[in-house]
């Protein structure tokens, strides 16, 4: 078989970029129809920013596949298409404040009585994020539904709480649609069967959430400095979901030396793993310690492994869970078997039930897991540096050991992996 030359690959990528730019320029023309609507010029500027960036990397021969994958032009196109169907539109990209946090509503119509959010992501990608298989800091559609629902209550129009509509232009799973409807949200879009398998081809790397954290492949500084000092005497370890995933991942159990990946996030993690093997770091820290986790962490871990884990990752997950002591979310140190000596380091923990506000990088699942660790007086092992930083900014210091993030990769090795030449 004749391989595809690098020149041909670059030409194909260049053609894709040219098409994307042409697509974006047509969107600019389409906005003219709505130029009198509040926020339309802001939307136009956002599209121009996307075009300016694509033209720049194309001109400088710096174009990469992820530049096209991360483009928000698809979302903007979906927004404009929906805009053509609404009545009495008041504004687009309208920002409301909720406890000093920005909530961006794509379309405010019916004179302010209806808020519409447009979701152009692939439905499998939406499901993946809801299952927790995403970079920390990226909020799921359920998280955003909670924010929309709460924010609308504080922004009445004509003495009425605005109606909220989520439009999924590529469809949505039955489970997620049903969950959204419990928040009083009207869900539009094709209802799909539950999406148990996630193929990287179906993952849309673009992000329609203005406040979402961008993936950074270059900056690793500051991870280790987040770990709490002087915890060697603490014999209890509380495992976060991210720690369990890293421990069981194929990439931390030998495949990093065998495979590279086409997917940017997995490619970067494999490169990191070859430099800093995380399984050894975790095993060294676990030595002579008893491993715990709360029920929430166990349930989420099992769901993720079942959804995206490969055969060997499932076996390792089962073996790891057999080593763990699983306790209820509200357990405390009296539920543990060790003769607990109150360690001075826990005097610095400032947690109370209402110290941290859920939102942004403070997600309820993470708050439950980290709080559990402090209650049983264990060191929480996690890759969730975003949560730890956000908690510190609010004056709460958890007792933690931070490691680098690793995703489950075994399924991707079948289709998206590139064997490393020996």
């Amino acid at each position: 078989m004749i391989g595809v030359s690098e020149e041909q690959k670059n030409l194909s990528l260049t053609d894709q970029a040219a098409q994307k730019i042409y697509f974006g320029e047509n969107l600019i023309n389409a906005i003219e129809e709505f130029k009198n609507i509040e926020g339309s010029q802001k939307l136009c500027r956002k599209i121009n920013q996307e075009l300016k960036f694509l033209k720049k990397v194309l001109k400088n021969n710096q174009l990469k596949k992820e530049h096209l994958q991360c483009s928000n032009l698809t979302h903007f196109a979906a927004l404009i298409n929906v805009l053509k169907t609404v009545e009495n539109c008041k504004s687009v990209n309208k920002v409301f404040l909720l406890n000093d946090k920005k909530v961006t509503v794509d379309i405010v119509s019916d004179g302010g009585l209806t808020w519409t959010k447009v979701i152009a992501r692939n439905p499998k990608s939406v499901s993946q994020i809801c299952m927790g298989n995403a970079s920390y800091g990226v909020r799921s559609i359920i998280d955003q539904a909670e924010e929309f629902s709460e924010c609308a209550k504080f922004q009445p129009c004509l003495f009425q709480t605005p109606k909220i509509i989520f439009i999924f232009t590529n469809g949505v799973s039955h489970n997620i649609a049903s969950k959204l409807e419990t928040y009083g949200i009207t869900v539009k879009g094709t209802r799909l069967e539950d999406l148990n398998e996630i193929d990287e081809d179906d993952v849309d790397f673009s992000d329609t959430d203005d406040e979402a954290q961008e993936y950074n492949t270059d900056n690793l500084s500051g991870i280790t400095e987040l770990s709490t000092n002087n915890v060697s005497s603490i014999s209890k370890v509380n495992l976060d979901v991210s720690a369990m995933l890293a421990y069981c991942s194929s990439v931390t159990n030998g495949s990093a030396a065998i495979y590279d990946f086409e997917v940017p996030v997995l490619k970067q993690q494999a490169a990191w793993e070859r430099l800093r093997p995380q399984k050894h770091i975790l095993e060294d820290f676990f030595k002579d310690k008893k491993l715990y986790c709360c029920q929430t962490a166990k349930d989420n871990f099992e769901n993720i492994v079942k959804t995206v884990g490969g055969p060997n990752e499932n076996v390792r997950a089962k073996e790891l869970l057999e080593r763990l002591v699983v306790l209820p979310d509200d357990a405390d140190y009296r539920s543990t078997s060790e003769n607990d000596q109150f360690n001075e380091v826990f005097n610095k923990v400032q947690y109370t039930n209402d110290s941290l506000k859920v939102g942004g990088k403070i997600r309820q699942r993470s708050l439950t897991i980290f709080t559990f660790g402090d209650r049983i007086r264990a060191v929480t092992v996690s890759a969730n540096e975003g949560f730890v930083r956000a908690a510190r900014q609010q004056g709460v210091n958890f007792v933690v050991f931070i490691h680098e993030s690793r995703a489950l990769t075994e399924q991707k090795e079948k289709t998206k992996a590139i064997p490393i030449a020996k």
Side-chain angles (χ1 to χ4, degrees):
M1 180 183 293
I2 300 175
V4 179
S5 69
E6 285 299 317
E7 182 178 352
Q8 288 173 311
K9 288 181 181 179
N10 291 335
L11 179 61
S12 176
L13 201 60
T14 300
D15 287 343
Q16 291 179 48
Q19 291 176 357
K20 191 74 103 173
I21 291 170
Y22 178 74
F23 178 69
E25 289 172 342
N26 284 336
L27 293 181
I28 296 292
N29 294 330
I31 295 176
E32 280 296 308
E33 181 182 346
F34 309 101
K35 61 182 180 181
N36 294 325
I37 295 176
E38 178 191 1
S40 62
Q41 293 307 308
K42 179 181 177 182
L43 178 59
C44 190
R45 286 195 299 272
K46 287 187 174 185
I47 295 174
N48 275 319
Q49 287 172 357
E50 295 278 338
L51 294 175
K52 183 178 179 181
F53 173 75
L54 287 177
K55 290 176 181 178
K56 179 181 177 181
V57 294
L58 186 60
K59 179 181 178 181
N60 296 336
N61 295 320
Q62 296 174 335
L63 182 66
K64 298 179 180 178
K65 183 179 179 180
E66 52 264 37
H67 291 151
L68 301 178
Q69 291 175 319
C70 294
S71 173
N72 278 322
L73 292 177
T74 302
H75 167 68
F76 295 143
L79 192 160
I80 292 171
N81 286 334
V82 172
L83 191 57
K84 295 176 181 178
T85 67
V86 302
E87 296 180 359
N88 192 15
C89 183
K90 185 178 179 180
S91 59
V92 294
N93 281 330
K94 179 70 173 178
V95 175
F96 297 94
L97 288 179
L98 175 65
N99 298 324
D100 296 325
K101 181 178 179 58
K102 293 181 179 179
V103 176
T104 303
V105 179
D106 290 332
I107 300 172
V108 178
S109 59
D110 296 335
L113 290 173
T114 301
W115 290 5
T116 300
K117 179 172 180 59
V118 181
I119 301 95
R121 282 183 182 274
N122 185 282
K124 289 186 179 181
S125 177
V126 173
S127 296
Q128 183 186 40
I129 296 171
C130 288
M131 290 292 291
N133 193 31
S135 302
Y136 283 104
V138 176
R139 290 174 295 168
S140 73
I141 200 67
I142 303 301
D143 296 325
Q144 294 174 59
E146 292 176 349
E147 290 178 356
F148 266 63
S149 181
E150 185 178 356
C151 186
K153 295 175 183 177
F154 294 100
Q155 301 290 337
C157 178
L158 300 177
F159 308 106
Q160 300 176 51
T161 299
K163 175 185 177 182
I164 302 172
I165 301 175
F166 277 20
I167 299 179
F168 293 84
T169 58
N170 291 313
V172 60
S173 75
H174 282 290
N175 281 348
I176 292 177
S178 297
K179 179 65 175 177
L180 292 173
E181 287 170 344
T182 65
Y183 291 97
I185 292 174
T186 299
V187 179
K188 294 185 179 181
T190 305
R191 303 289 175 103
L192 305 172
E193 295 302 318
D194 295 336
L195 306 168
N196 292 323
E197 244 180 82
I198 297 170
D199 188 331
E200 210 62 54
D201 279 335
D202 297 316
V203 177
D204 177 7
F205 288 92
S206 67
D207 205 313
T208 62
D209 183 2
D210 287 341
E211 281 76 51
Q213 179 185 35
E214 293 183 2
Y215 178 73
N216 187 340
T217 60
D218 300 318
N219 184 14
L220 283 174
S221 64
I223 289 181
T224 54
E225 72 182 25
L226 291 173
S227 297
T228 308
N229 296 325
N230 305 318
V231 295
S232 58
S233 61
I234 301 176
S235 61
K236 288 180 284 191
V237 168
N238 168 44
L239 294 188
D240 182 22
V241 176
S242 58
M244 293 188 245
L245 292 174
Y247 192 84
C248 299
S249 170
S250 180
V251 80
T252 60
N253 284 272
S255 74
I258 303 173
Y259 298 110
D260 204 349
F261 294 90
E262 297 176 2
V263 182
V265 175
L266 300 184
K267 182 180 182 68
Q268 184 65 77
Q269 289 191 2
W272 287 344
E273 180 64 23
R274 289 189 283 272
L275 293 173
R276 297 175 294 276
Q278 294 300 292
K279 183 75 173 277
H280 298 303
I281 292 173
L282 293 172
E283 284 181 331
D284 286 346
F285 189 75
F286 294 166
K287 188 176 181 181
D288 299 327
K289 293 180 173 65
K290 192 160 186 177
L291 308 183
Y292 291 87
C293 78
C294 63
Q295 191 65 47
T296 288
K298 175 181 180 290
D299 292 343
N300 277 269
F301 173 61
E302 287 183 319
N303 285 336
I304 294 172
V305 173
K306 180 181 177 181
T307 304
V308 297
N312 292 310
E313 288 171 335
N314 272 272
V315 170
R316 286 191 286 269
K318 183 178 179 182
E319 292 173 348
L320 176 60
L321 289 174
E322 289 174 351
R323 292 176 57 187
L324 297 179
V325 177
V326 182
L327 296 175
D329 291 349
D330 61 354
D332 61 25
Y333 69 93
R334 290 168 294 190
S335 304
T336 61
S337 60
E338 291 84 357
N339 293 322
D340 189 83
Q341 294 181 350
F342 190 82
N343 195 299
E344 186 174 333
V345 72
F346 280 91
N347 285 327
K348 300 177 182 178
V349 176
Q350 302 149 28
Y351 178 79
T352 60
N353 287 334
D354 56 359
S355 286
L356 288 176
K357 297 178 180 179
V358 175
K361 296 177 184 178
I362 305 295
R363 299 178 63 179
Q364 185 58 58
R365 183 185 78 178
S366 299
L367 184 57
T368 297
I369 293 170
F370 278 79
T371 304
F372 167 82
D374 280 345
R375 275 203 304 268
I376 69 169
R377 296 177 186 170
V379 183
T380 297
V381 179
S382 175
N384 194 350
E385 55 170 319
F387 175 89
V388 176
R389 290 184 192 277
R392 287 189 180 182
Q393 288 172 1
Q394 293 189 33
V396 177
N397 294 295
F398 289 97
V399 179
V400 295
F401 177 82
I402 301 296
H403 62 90
E404 291 177 17
S405 177
R406 298 288 185 269
L408 300 181
T409 60
E410 191 173 5
Q411 286 192 22
K412 313 300 186 299
E413 289 164 11
K414 299 175 183 178
T415 57
K416 296 298 176 184
I418 305 168
I420 297 176
K422 294 183 180 180

